[in-house]
Amino acid sequence: MPANDPQPPQTVDEIARSLYRTAYPEKTDDSGWVEEQVSVAVERISRAEQADPSTSPGARPLDDAVINRAAPKSRRGPRIAAAVVSAVVVLVALVLGIAERQWVAETAISGDGILGLSIAAVVAALATSVSYVRVRRRQILSCRVRIDAPFGVDIGETVRLEGEHAAVTDPGVVVVRVKNTGGSTITAEDYVSPLALHFPGRQVISVDATEFEPVELHRVISKLPGFTIEEDRVQLPKVLLEREASYKLVIVLSGTTPGEKHQIAVEGVLRDGRITTREGKEKVGPGTLAWGGLTAICAGALAVVLLLNNVAPFTKLPRGVACEAGSLSVEGSSAFGRAATELAGSYEAYCPGAAVKVGTPGSVEGLQRLHDGTIDLALSDGKFDEPDFTRFVPQKLAIVPFTLVASKNVPVDSLSVADVRKIFTGGARVWSDITGNLRDTGVIRVAGRSTSSGTRRTLENYLLGTPSAPIGQAPATSDSCRDLRPDLAASSPIICEQGSTGDLIDRIATLGDAIGYADVSDVAQSSAVKKISLDGRDATLDDIRGGYPFWTVEDVFSRGPLESGSLAAAFRDYLLTPEARNAMAGFQYYACAAGEQDLCDRR
């Protein structure tokens, strides 16, 4: 056909029929013979399309004859350099890992090692995803030559086609499949240079497009400028191809001599993709495989490290602590409750077969339940001299500092011990009784603990009185901490009792002019209250050594000597480990280690 005069698409049998009638004009009237030859030609082309090009005597393998000049130049130099560098890094890492295996192992199972492996696994996984998506979205235009064969019936037969204007000597046919095998649409703007086929030593006679997928592609191509034929080269229009869209080209050439080796060159450049002479899809690129392998290595290493850190029998236990299975109940001090809960959780993490339940009814109630046999261990803020508790076996754990705590609007930041006695024994009703300022008319609302509290016992022993002559906190006069009970005189002080440290702090935070007492750690959790110092001292270890009086020693009690190999003995021993001491330090408790033994002997 003329170069710029596109014709309607023709099927293979129509082209073959036209060629045979032109080549053998004397057979034009013998339709049976023509149809027989057409049938044979169509069958050969069909078989060749199914990867069997040798069905035609003049056909030849195409793999070595098709040149993909559109392919990007191979960067073998940088790739080889990158491979060498990677191999050196892996080798060095392997040598160091073997030589310093102990350090590597210790680092891997540390917190920093786990964090590092987690970050590496996440980064590698993200890189794998990005690489995979980039490959899937890459523009790939496949231009695959399926058939390159001369028109010939028998080997050695010369065929000459008589065209409309000139004879076609040594005619041949090339069938090409053009397909978008990438992950995104290819538009006309994506072609830096259009797709073209070059046939050195041959001349292009005609080109037709056929077998459109989807069929609507025929309409798109028919509206574009036609195929440009330049002697031995045919340039294709810049066709918009959706994903998986394709069409076939049937190209008739002269100069296809049977038995000779002819080359076909595929030319063209895509802006953000590439043109290939193969049909296969790139679902996973080498970069994706590399990052995926690194992800698997990091994830596997992380799994092993977590296994070694958290699963028995691989658990790295603190020195001197053994895992024992079973259930254990520990109850008592509400002041020590948060620390006890965290310590129980840590032991369960080390020893998954153990279940340690912590309750915080108060020190006295915990000791009473231990006496009744309903729990295994009791936590108490100091010792109690009740006859029922004298046979208990104590183990000193830590120094627990307490502080006075008040509402934000309370007009003082520090109190003397004498002022504290006046407030908590009911000798002061309004804040002016403490400050001496008549404008401080707020009614003092005292929030104290119940009689079962070890914290209250510490207040009575070391602030209001002494261990040998304790002075009791004034009895409760209010249930709400806001108003007096109806049967009391209006001049009575407002004093209420709370069952736990948390309840006391919450009550003070919601009232005005209120004051109470609690352990330092729990007070630090609330921004709605403030600490009140004693005679200018705070509840720090230095001030405790300097005379700060409001503190006690936390003990864990058992009914008698603990049986070796029991869960109670194992958990009690765990409370004395460096790990447990560090956990208690986080709650501002000072463990009864060697340096604090003198303080821990206080009774």
Side-chain angles (χ1 to χ4, degrees):
M1 68 177 71
N4 295 311
D5 185 17
Q7 298 294 322
Q10 294 179 292
T11 62
V12 176
D13 56 345
E14 290 174 339
I15 295 173
R17 187 177 297 109
S18 175
L19 291 173
Y20 272 107
R21 287 175 177 171
T22 303
Y24 301 95
E26 70 278 8
K27 300 285 188 178
T28 301
D29 295 334
D30 190 351
S31 60
W33 182 88
V34 172
E35 292 302 322
E36 180 181 352
Q37 301 307 316
V38 168
S39 176
V40 172
V42 169
E43 180 184 357
R44 288 174 174 172
I45 292 175
S46 175
R47 291 172 62 188
E49 285 182 319
Q50 298 174 15
D52 189 11
S54 62
T55 54
S56 173
R60 55 195 174 77
L62 299 172
D63 292 344
D64 297 331
V66 180
I67 301 173
N68 185 11
R69 291 180 180 166
K73 293 182 179 179
S74 175
R75 301 186 213 175
R76 297 188 62 184
R79 289 183 179 178
I80 293 174
V84 170
V85 171
S86 300
V88 171
V89 170
V90 171
L91 183 60
V92 171
L94 184 61
V95 171
L96 290 177
I98 295 173
E100 301 293 335
R101 55 186 178 276
Q102 182 176 353
W103 177 83
V104 171
E106 291 176 352
T107 302
I109 63 175
S110 67
D112 292 340
I114 293 174
L115 178 61
L117 283 174
S118 300
I119 293 174
V122 170
V123 171
L126 289 175
T128 302
S129 300
V130 171
S131 177
Y132 178 78
V133 170
R134 288 183 61 186
V135 170
R136 293 292 292 167
R137 291 182 177 178
R138 184 180 300 167
Q139 291 180 333
I140 302 176
L141 182 59
S142 172
C143 182
R144 187 181 182 195
V145 179
R146 303 295 300 275
I147 299 173
D148 182 7
F151 279 100
V153 179
D154 298 308
I155 297 178
E157 179 179 351
T158 299
V159 179
R160 179 183 179 90
L161 299 183
E162 296 293 338
E164 182 178 355
H165 301 292
V168 180
T169 58
D170 295 327
V173 63
V174 173
V175 177
V176 179
R177 167 70 77 177
V178 178
K179 184 176 183 179
N180 180 357
T181 60
S184 60
T185 301
I186 298 174
T187 66
E189 291 73 21
D190 293 322
Y191 293 88
V192 175
S193 61
L195 179 63
L197 294 167
H198 184 206
F199 306 93
R202 292 187 284 180
Q203 182 178 1
V204 178
I205 304 301
S206 66
V207 56
D208 277 306
T210 184
E211 295 188 30
F212 304 95
E213 295 181 10
V215 293
E216 294 81 6
L217 186 59
H218 174 210
R219 184 174 62 256
V220 174
I221 293 179
S222 65
K223 294 180 180 179
L224 297 174
F227 297 91
T228 303
I229 297 175
E230 302 172 352
E231 293 293 331
D232 59 354
R233 187 173 178 274
V234 57
Q235 179 176 299
L236 282 60
K238 298 178 179 180
V239 181
L240 186 149
L241 293 175
E242 301 286 348
R243 293 177 57 186
E244 301 298 322
S246 68
Y247 61 96
K248 276 187 179 181
L249 295 176
V250 179
I251 304 170
V252 177
L253 307 103
S254 66
T256 305
T257 305
E260 289 191 12
K261 201 168 187 179
H262 302 286
Q263 288 187 343
I264 303 173
V266 177
E267 302 171 347
V269 178
L270 291 179
R271 190 180 311 280
D272 296 316
R274 65 187 183 87
I275 297 174
T276 180
T277 56
R278 299 183 180 276
E279 185 182 19
K281 300 178 182 178
E282 290 189 21
K283 293 185 178 181
V284 180
T288 305
L289 292 175
W291 283 113
L294 182 59
T295 302
I297 292 173
C298 292
L302 181 62
V304 171
V305 168
L306 293 177
L307 181 70
L308 294 176
N309 272 275
N310 294 291
V311 180
F314 305 103
T315 309
K316 183 183 178 183
L317 292 174
R319 181 175 299 176
V321 175
C323 282
E324 300 295 342
S327 298
L328 181 71
S329 56
V330 182
E331 296 187 9
S333 168
S334 67
F336 200 75
R338 289 195 305 118
T341 301
E342 180 171 311
L343 290 166
S346 298
Y347 184 80
E348 289 175 343
Y350 284 122
C351 307
V356 181
K357 182 181 179 181
V358 175
T360 57
S363 297
V364 174
E365 183 66 24
L367 291 169
Q368 187 60 51
R369 293 183 184 181
L370 181 65
H371 176 267
D372 297 340
T374 58
I375 62 173
D376 302 299
L377 297 174
L379 293 166
S380 173
D381 302 334
K383 281 188 175 181
F384 291 83
D385 297 328
E386 282 78 350
D388 289 343
F389 307 153
T390 56
R391 294 184 179 181
F392 291 165
V393 177
Q395 173 63 58
K396 293 177 285 190
L397 295 180
I399 297 164
V400 178
F402 298 104
T403 182
L404 298 174
V405 57
S407 305
K408 289 283 191 178
N409 72 321
V410 166
V412 297
D413 294 313
S414 180
L415 290 171
S416 66
V417 173
D419 289 334
V420 174
R421 289 172 181 161
K422 191 175 182 180
I423 291 171
F424 286 93
T425 58
R429 184 177 178 278
V430 294
W431 280 107
S432 61
D433 296 337
I434 300 299
T435 65
N437 187 344
L438 296 179
R439 289 181 294 182
D440 295 331
T441 58
V443 177
I444 298 175
R445 293 181 171 86
V446 176
R449 293 293 305 282
S450 63
T451 56
S452 65
S453 166
T455 309
R456 174 170 172 168
R457 184 71 63 95
T458 303
L459 176 85
E460 295 172 338
N461 285 348
Y462 297 104
L463 282 185
L464 306 186
T466 64
S468 59
I471 297 174
Q473 175 183 294
T477 61
S478 173
D479 297 321
S480 64
C481 290
R482 190 180 298 276
D483 303 308
L484 289 168
R485 291 170 180 168
D487 57 337
L488 297 177
S491 60
S492 301
I494 296 177
I495 301 173
C496 67
E497 295 179 357
Q498 302 298 310
S500 70
T501 301
D503 291 342
L504 184 145
I505 294 173
D506 290 342
R507 181 69 68 177
I508 292 175
T510 58
L511 293 171
D513 299 310
I515 188 169
Y517 48 87
D519 68 289
V520 173
S521 175
D522 283 319
V523 172
Q525 300 299 306
S526 175
S527 61
V529 296
K530 65 178 182 178
K531 291 188 293 185
I532 304 296
S533 62
L534 283 171
D535 291 323
R537 292 190 177 99
D538 294 319
T540 64
L541 185 59
D542 288 340
D543 281 351
I544 287 174
R545 290 191 173 280
Y548 182 85
F550 196 13
W551 58 276
T552 191
V553 177
E554 190 73 21
D555 289 276
V556 57
F557 289 89
S558 59
R559 281 186 294 273
L562 295 175
E563 182 181 352
S564 178
S566 67
L567 176 56
F571 182 67
R572 190 272 316 275
D573 292 342
Y574 170 69
L575 296 178
L576 306 176
T577 62
E579 285 79 10
R581 292 201 295 267
N582 291 336
M584 288 187 283
F587 291 92
Q588 301 183 53
Y589 303 147
Y590 308 107
C592 290
E596 318 302 341
Q597 284 299 328
D598 57 330
L599 294 175
C600 289
D601 289 335
R602 179 190 191 186
R603 284 292 181 261

